[in-house]
Amino acid sequence: MKNFLCSCGQVLFFENTQCTHCHRRLGFDPASRKLLALDPVRDLHSNATPRWRAAQTGQFYHRCCNDTEFDLCNWLVKTPGQAYCLACSLNQTVPRIRAGSDWQQRHRWWRSMEQAKRRLLFTLLELGLPVQSKSENPEVGLAFAFLEDWRSNPLVDQAHVLTGHARGLITVNLAEADHVLREQARQRLGEPYRTLLGHFRHESGHYYFDHLIVTAADHEEFRALFGDERADYDLAIDDYYAVGLEREKRPDMISAYAQVHPLEDWAECWAHYLHMVDTLETAAQFGLPRSGEACGDQTVDLCIEQQIEQWSQVSAMLNSLNRSMGLEDAYPFVLSAQTLNKIRFVHRKIYPILTPMQTVASVGTHP
């Protein structure tokens, strides 16, 4: 994740909505991937959508409806008449935060969901991966549903909502935004790491599998590393949870959940690849040297080898810093040689992106 600069020279961070120095309104332009300082534009027509001019570029924007109505978003809209920004246009279902006595709590949960989703989208855009709304292209587009079950709202019908992916729709249980409920789930399932951002990155892996693994050669290489993705998914899920915490984690797998099915192994490795590239970018913003910041003229293989080497150093530093503060490891994983080969495979499917968006499958749910 990059840091940004205000037009006044103040350092800005991705979630900022106002500069602490010049007090200008801030907005993120997904097209340029820049956080912009904004000046209001007076309009003689009172019923017109208020416009803002970017101090750095002079371009005009208006604010997303989820910003003006719910104070949940800092992304900008450039197209006149369009209500929502790129990130919010992907939403299919959102919480009803104005209903019930606990609306303020659900508002905080929804805000956390949106922040994690926007961090995912920033990385996807930085990598050059296609991000298209399902409302624009129902066949291959992407959408998000933030749903509740009885854990977070006893008034809803659903007893249990699964976080997962199906045909381009990523569903995330709103309870995952509650720190206590998420920690209880993490311990119950024996997971060393469970975060909202981790969920979004994992589920995006299922989505992009359908768009990046398309040729016979892709599938052959995938199966040599991960196993046969045609294996019965539902049976594999039932078997995994029937054994539960009694199951011994294989040392060559990135996580216990990766053992469920080859598609879950892929999604876990995809998520960890996004963890790596985003954290390395953040580290570089704070002065840590970064090898292969952009692959540039380097070969694809050389680029990922430099990233892996840098990640081994940065993740060790992260864990050491956390231990110095009396906290758990920030990255509690050991990457085996086989896992690193899988992460190299993920990298090769992204750099360069040569295959068009094609078929869509339905897979990938977990509690």
Side-chain angles (χ1 to χ4, degrees), residues 219-239:
H219 284 94
E220 183 179 353
E221 188 178 6
F222 175 88
R223 289 164 191 163
L225 285 168
F226 295 89
D228 194 337
E229 80 285 357
R230 296 167 295 185
D232 190 304
Y233 183 83
D234 292 334
L235 184 63
I237 283 284
D238 291 342
D239 176 67

Side-chain angles (χ1 to χ4, degrees), residues 21-296:
H21 183 260
C22 70
H23 305 295
R24 276 191 172 98
R25 184 82 193 183
L26 303 173
F28 180 78
D29 174 23
S32 64
R33 296 189 295 284
K34 292 181 179 179
L35 190 61
L36 302 172
L38 305 171
D39 293 314
V41 178
R42 297 185 180 277
D43 201 312
L44 298 177
H45 304 287
S46 59
N47 61 344
T49 302
R51 293 195 303 162
W52 297 78
R53 180 189 287 112
Q56 294 98 320
T57 66
Q59 293 185 322
F60 293 94
Y61 302 88
H62 60 272
R63 291 159 57 192
C64 175
C65 275
N66 278 342
D67 178 10
T68 57
E69 293 186 23
F70 300 106
D71 190 28
L72 285 166
C73 181
N74 68 340
W75 283 30
L76 297 169
V77 183
K78 197 170 183 180
T79 305
Q82 184 174 313
Y84 294 100
C85 70
L86 171 63
C88 292
S89 70
L90 303 178
N91 289 346
Q92 186 177 98
T93 308
V94 297
R96 295 181 59 190
I97 63 171
R98 288 173 173 163
S101 59
D102 60 345
W103 69 270
Q104 289 180 315
Q105 176 174 261
R106 302 217 309 281
H107 182 272
R108 289 193 296 271
W109 290 342
W110 185 16
R111 178 190 295 276
S112 296
M113 289 279 193
E114 294 292 344
Q115 288 178 345
K117 184 189 72 179
R118 289 196 297 270
R119 280 189 168 256
L120 165 69
L121 293 175
F122 178 88
T123 304
L124 299 179
L125 294 172
E126 282 281 278
L127 292 173
L129 289 161
V131 177
Q132 187 176 22
S133 170
K134 203 168 183 61
S135 61
E136 294 178 343
N137 193 329
E139 291 302 315
V140 300
L142 178 64
F144 294 88
F146 306 145
L147 301 181
E148 297 183 84
D149 60 24
W150 293 346
R151 287 180 292 173
S152 58
N153 187 351
L155 301 179
V156 299
D157 295 331
Q158 293 85 351
H160 193 68
V161 169
L162 294 176
T163 291
H165 166 264
R167 302 187 63 82
L169 177 64
I170 291 176
T171 299
V172 183
N173 192 317
L174 193 65
E176 292 292 336
D178 182 286
H179 297 302
V180 173
L181 293 176
R182 189 174 64 251
E183 176 62 17
Q184 289 173 344
R186 188 188 71 82
Q187 295 198 29
R188 185 179 72 254
L189 297 171
E191 298 177 347
Y193 171 92
R194 190 181 182 100
T195 67
L196 266 182
L197 184 53
H199 281 312
F200 279 100
R201 286 174 173 164
H202 175 100
E203 299 306 335
S204 74
H206 289 300
Y207 172 71
Y208 283 104
F209 176 88
D210 301 319
H211 307 314
L212 298 179
I213 313 300
V214 292
T215 68
D218 289 337
H219 284 94
E220 183 179 353
E221 188 178 6
F222 175 88
R223 289 164 191 163
L225 285 168
F226 295 89
D228 194 337
E229 80 285 357
R230 296 167 295 185
D232 190 304
Y233 183 83
D234 292 334
L235 184 63
I237 283 284
D238 291 342
D239 176 67
Y240 178 80
Y241 286 111
V243 176
L245 296 182
E246 308 268 327
R247 182 184 299 272
E248 183 177 351
K249 178 187 174 297
R250 286 170 45 186
D252 62 322
M253 303 292 275
I254 197 167
S255 68
Y257 194 66
Q259 299 171 205
V260 171
H261 189 274
L263 290 173
E264 293 302 341
D265 193 9
W266 155 271
E268 287 286 87
C269 290
W270 173 277
H272 281 256
Y273 178 80
L274 298 188
H275 293 336
M276 178 179 72
V277 296
D278 191 55
T279 306
L280 288 180
E281 184 175 59
T282 304
Q285 294 293 295
F286 286 91
L288 294 179
R290 182 180 179 192
S291 300
E293 180 175 355
C295 285

Side-chain angles (χ1 to χ4, degrees), residues 286-357:
F286 286 91
L288 294 179
R290 182 180 179 192
S291 300
E293 180 175 355
C295 285
D297 294 332
Q298 301 176 59
T299 66
V300 172
D301 290 340
L302 178 58
C303 180
I304 185 58
E305 294 311 315
Q306 290 180 339
Q307 288 178 319
I308 288 172
E309 180 183 358
Q310 188 73 17
W311 179 237
S312 69
Q313 299 169 11
V314 170
S315 59
M317 183 191 68
L318 280 173
N319 289 343
S320 296
L321 289 171
N322 265 29
R323 292 175 189 181
S324 294
M325 293 293 295
L327 300 172
E328 298 292 329
D329 285 353
Y331 190 73
F333 300 94
V334 176
L335 303 183
S336 68
Q338 178 71 352
T339 292
L340 289 175
N341 284 335
K342 294 171 183 176
I343 288 176
R344 292 180 178 104
F345 175 79
V346 171
H347 178 82
R348 290 196 301 273
K349 295 299 107 180
I350 295 175
Y351 286 103
I353 299 172
L354 298 175
T355 54
M357 305 270 278

